[in-house]
Amino acid sequence: MPAELSCFEERCRARFPITEVIYNCPRCGGLLEAVYPPLEEKPETLRDLWRRRRMSNLPLDQSGVWRYREMIAFLDTFDHVVTLREGNTPLLPAPRAAAYGGLDHLVFKHQGFNPTGSFKDNGMTCGAAQAVRLGVRRVACVSTGNTSASMAAYASAAGLQPIIFIPHGNISYGKLAQALEYGAKTLQVEANFDQILALVRVLAERLGIYLLNSINPFRIEGQKTIMVELMDQRDWNSPDWIVLPGGNLGNTSAFGKALREMHALGLIAKMPRLAVIQAEGAAPFYNLLQRRDRTHLRAVHHPETLATAIKIGDPVSWPKALHEVVSSGGAVEKVSEQEIADAKAVIGLCGIGCEPASAATLAGIRKLTAAGVIPTGADVVAVLTGNVLKDPDYIYRYHTGALEAPGGHRLASHFGNNPIVVPNDPDQITRLLEAVN
Ligand SMILES: *Cc1c(COP(=O)(O)O)cnc(C)c1O
Ligand SMILES: [Zn+2]
């Protein structure tokens, strides 16, 4: 029995060949997931194998995704895998952030250490491998953010043509710059995000372009390895809580699937709880969890947040994410622009740094400990999703007191660090530096 695509909807569960080019279930429209025959290996065998691969010079073993290839067995050969040595991201203890978050201890798993600076690389190496296997020449996504940057890099590295569709006049330059540099053909369409999604589906069919959007099940498989690597780094001891930001909720889906699969295999003894943090202006998943009727998600029509990576009003992976959060006994919290900005500065003061969306984790932890949901002594891992340099404009504005929330409201710089203009005069500079200590 080979790997297959399975409909995620409980009432359907239709199965399709792993090489079928479909993005939703053709029968019911549900989300798809990759499913595999049960692994034969014992947990000790897998742990030893994965640990030994860390010493190997083989590109596949050096990848923090493909090292764990037994957990993502959707290919029949690894000949066409392109790796930029994604994953391999560190666990960073952060006492100052822990104190700010109301915890005794806090560790960050920093996905910003990836080749293009975000966790999207963990998924994209798998999405690109599937594209090569399918024999397509072009891949596309709709995004102005980290997905574009990552897709551009992996597609170009694999010899595919990356095509990015973005709404005209809605460009975020930092991340777009990466996409241009990595050779993506970039089309600015005069339409909104949802219209472009529909357009791209038509074009994909007509031109044989493979879509690497957020619901792509192979990207989800790659993102699972973030959790496998985390457990490997912790010698297979589960934390109590894993905290992450939620946008399209692909990562939440991936983490939950990975944890369930590791638990079923006997690799971990305990299931951690998942805490998903959203920005107040883009919190449809938070709203869903507040309601008793969770059969459909009410989209936020004009999502607003400076944390652009989680500025999503209609998250496509919500059914999977709902299942994972509920079954893990988890939580969903929302945080304000001010809370995100201050938490981000605190993460910076730890010498770590991250992009705004990632800092929602620490802001959320602060609220969840204050509410007693996460106890002070809990073993918590927060996932920082993107690199500090993704959004330098935000940083400069925060530290100089010029950061404005989407409504135009000026945010306070509680941890501001304004550069000081000084004359070319050693005496004056000495007096100034003696005054600060
Ligand atoms: C994509 C992204 C997110 C949101 O992840 P989802 O899987 O869409 O919920 C958060 N932070 C960063 C930096 C991202 O690039
Ligand atoms: Zn179905």
Side-chain angles (χ1 to χ4, degrees):
M1 186 171 66
E4 287 180 303
L5 287 170
S6 170
C7 176
F8 185 75
E9 286 301 316
E10 203 133 26
R11 288 160 289 135
C12 178
R13 297 280 189 218
R15 296 280 183 109
F16 306 93
I18 199 77
T19 48
E20 197 120 322
V21 184
I22 43 176
Y23 307 102
N24 286 94
C25 173
R27 291 213 196 135
C28 77
L31 296 169
L32 296 169
E33 64 176 349
V35 292
Y36 311 108
L39 277 181
E40 315 258 291
E41 290 92 339
K42 292 207 175 69
E44 307 83 66
T45 313
L46 288 170
R47 289 178 189 149
D48 289 348
L49 176 67
W50 294 337
R51 191 57 67 92
R52 260 184 287 120
R53 283 182 186 157
R54 285 205 208 173
M55 314 271 273
S56 162
N57 282 330
L58 282 179
L60 215 56
D61 293 344
Q62 288 188 337
S63 162
V65 171
W66 298 103
R67 181 179 306 132
Y68 305 104
R69 49 195 176 269
E70 287 74 14
M71 295 286 294
I72 52 169
F74 62 90
L75 296 172
D76 354 279
T77 142
F78 298 103
D79 296 351
H80 303 298
V81 168
V82 168
T83 170
L84 298 171
R85 311 303 188 271
E86 53 289 325
N88 298 305
T89 62
L91 289 183
L92 305 171
R96 189 162 181 175
Y100 182 80
L103 291 170
D104 296 336
H105 302 283
L106 175 61
V107 169
F108 289 120
K109 179 146 179 74
H110 205 326
Q111 294 304 112
F113 281 62
N114 265 295
T116 78
S118 84
F119 75 80
K120 300 299 194 292
D121 295 344
N122 293 71
M124 210 53 81
T125 184
C126 290
Q130 178 70 5
V132 173
R133 168 214 215 156
L134 293 172
V136 301
R137 284 185 31 253
R138 292 181 286 197
V139 293
C141 69
V142 188
S143 154
T144 55
N146 287 328
T147 298
S148 304
S150 184
M151 191 196 77
Y154 280 87
S156 288
L160 304 169
Q161 171 68 64
I163 308 171
I164 290 163
F165 292 82
I166 56 176
H168 185 61
N170 192 359
I171 317 162
S172 104
Y173 281 102
K175 297 170 186 179
L176 184 64
Q178 283 183 292
L180 297 176
E181 185 79 357
Y182 296 136
K185 191 158 286 305
T186 303
L187 306 176
Q188 296 180 250
V189 188
E190 283 165 346
N192 69 30
F193 195 88
D194 296 330
Q195 293 169 319
I196 298 175
L197 266 179
L199 171 77
V200 169
R201 288 213 170 198
V202 172
L203 288 171
E205 184 106 11
R206 187 178 297 174
L207 300 171
I209 301 172
Y210 187 60
L211 293 185
L212 286 169
N213 276 342
S214 178
I215 47 168
N216 183 294
F218 303 98
R219 283 181 54 196
I220 303 275
E221 287 305 293
Q223 287 167 216
K224 274 178 11 190
T225 62
I226 300 168
M227 287 297 104
V228 186
E229 184 180 81
L230 168 71
M231 294 302 178
D232 189 359
Q233 288 167 312
R234 293 176 51 103
D235 297 318
W236 307 98
N237 293 306
S238 292
D240 300 320
W241 286 88
I242 292 165
V243 186
L244 75 161
N248 260 319
L249 302 170
N251 225 15
T252 307
S253 309
F255 287 11
K257 186 172 193 260
L259 296 168
R260 282 188 289 109
E261 289 175 352
M262 283 191 283
H263 193 242
L265 278 168
L267 284 164
I268 55 171
K270 186 185 86 173
M271 279 291 286
R273 297 166 169 221
L274 289 174
V276 179
I277 317 298
Q278 297 207 291
E280 274 180 3
F285 191 54
Y286 172 86
N287 295 339
L288 178 72
L289 270 284
Q290 300 307 108
R291 292 205 309 272
R292 203 163 313 148
D293 173 16
R294 295 169 180 169
T295 51
H296 64 281
L297 174 132
R298 291 185 200 153
V300 170
H301 292 296
H302 299 285
E304 290 289 7
T305 172
L306 297 176
T308 51
I310 51 172
K311 189 176 162 183
I312 308 282
D314 194 4
V316 285
S317 290
W318 72 265
K320 287 183 178 177
L322 177 66
H323 173 76
E324 304 304 352
V325 170
V326 171
S327 69
S328 80
V332 181
E333 185 55 277
K334 62 175 179 179
V335 291
S336 70
E337 295 299 303
Q338 184 70 57
E339 289 168 326
I340 293 173
D342 289 335
K344 182 172 137 55
V346 170
I347 295 167
L349 284 169
C350 297
I352 293 174
C354 63
E355 72 165 275
S358 312
T361 54
L362 181 58
I365 288 167
R366 190 172 155 94
K367 284 183 89 166
L368 290 170
T369 54
V373 176
I374 300 183
T376 304
D379 183 352
V380 181
V381 174
V383 178
L384 299 180
T385 45
N387 191 281
V388 67
L389 285 174
K390 287 281 187 179
D391 209 340
D393 190 57
Y394 180 107
I395 300 177
Y396 187 77
R397 284 175 201 263
Y398 177 83
H399 286 291
T400 55
L403 190 63
E404 284 181 5
H409 166 70
R410 180 73 59 93
L411 296 177
S413 301
H414 295 125
F415 302 90
N417 184 18
N418 215 336
I420 306 161
V421 180
V422 292
N424 183 7
D425 174 356
D427 296 334
Q428 282 198 48
I429 295 176
T430 302
R431 272 198 299 281
L432 185 111
L433 291 179
E434 276 171 354
V436 291
N437 47 34

